[in-house]
Amino acid sequence: MDCLFCKIAEGKIPSKPVFQDHRIYAFADIHPQAPVHFLIIPREHIASLHEADESHRELLGHMLGVAAEIARQKGLGNGYRVVANIGPDGGQTVDHLHLHVLGGRAMTWPPG
Ligand code: AMP
Ligand code: ZN
C-alpha cells in the first residue's frame, strides 16, 4: 500500500521522532501550525477514525494517553489541542489515522 504515514512509521521516509513504542509513532508535523505541533499515528494502517472498530478501542485510548504524556513532558500545562481530521469534510489530507497535538500558543474557536 502506498501510504505516506505507513512509510514514515517504518522509517522509509525520514521524520523527527517524538515518541515511539510497538503500537504507535509520534513525530513532528512538517508544516507546524503552532510552536508545538506533532502527530501521533498507529503503526497499523487504519484509514481514519471512521474506519476504526471495536478492536481498536485500546489503541485509540493509548494514543490519547500518549498525547497527554508528551504534552506534559513538553510543558504544555497552560493548555493545548488534540485534533483528528476525518474524511473530506473534516479536512483530512493523509488517509492514515492521526492525532494532531498543537500547543505553545492560544488556540481559537471555532476551527475553520
Ligand atoms: P490532515 O490534514 O489532518 O490529514 O494532516 C496531515 C498532516 O500531515 C498535515 O499537518 C501535514 O503538514 C502533515 N504532513 C504531511 N507530510 C508530512 C511529512 N512527510 N512529515 C510530517 N508531517 C507531514
Ligand atoms: Zn498507512
Side-chain angles (χ1 to χ4, degrees):
M1 189 191 308
D2 196 30
C3 171
L4 174 64
F5 284 181
C6 280
K7 287 178 184 161
I8 285 178
E10 291 165 12
K12 291 177 180 161
I13 290 176
S15 62
K16 287 188 189 163
V18 172
F19 173 89
Q20 52 191 312
D21 65 17
H22 69 288
R23 286 183 287 177
I24 65 178
Y25 181 58
F27 57 102
D29 195 292
I30 203 166
H31 292 126
Q33 301 300 315
V36 176
H37 185 180
F38 60 90
L39 303 171
I40 302 178
I41 64 174
R43 292 190 181 278
E44 175 186 348
H45 180 86
I46 304 166
S48 82
L49 190 63
H50 201 60
E51 280 73 32
D53 62 31
E54 208 157 330
S55 73
H56 298 119
R57 293 280 167 88
E58 199 188 327
L59 173 67
L60 294 171
H62 182 53
M63 289 170 68
L64 273 178
V66 166
E69 185 57 40
I70 300 170
R72 281 189 286 267
Q73 284 171 13
K74 289 188 176 287
L76 299 180
N78 207 43
Y80 56 97
R81 189 166 288 173
V82 179
V83 175
N85 295 324
I86 300 152
D89 278 5
Q92 184 175 4
T93 60
V94 178
D95 290 336
H96 180 128
L97 171 64
H98 51 282
L99 296 179
H100 294 256
V101 182
L102 301 126
R105 65 168 170 85
M107 302 291 152
T108 59
W109 193 264

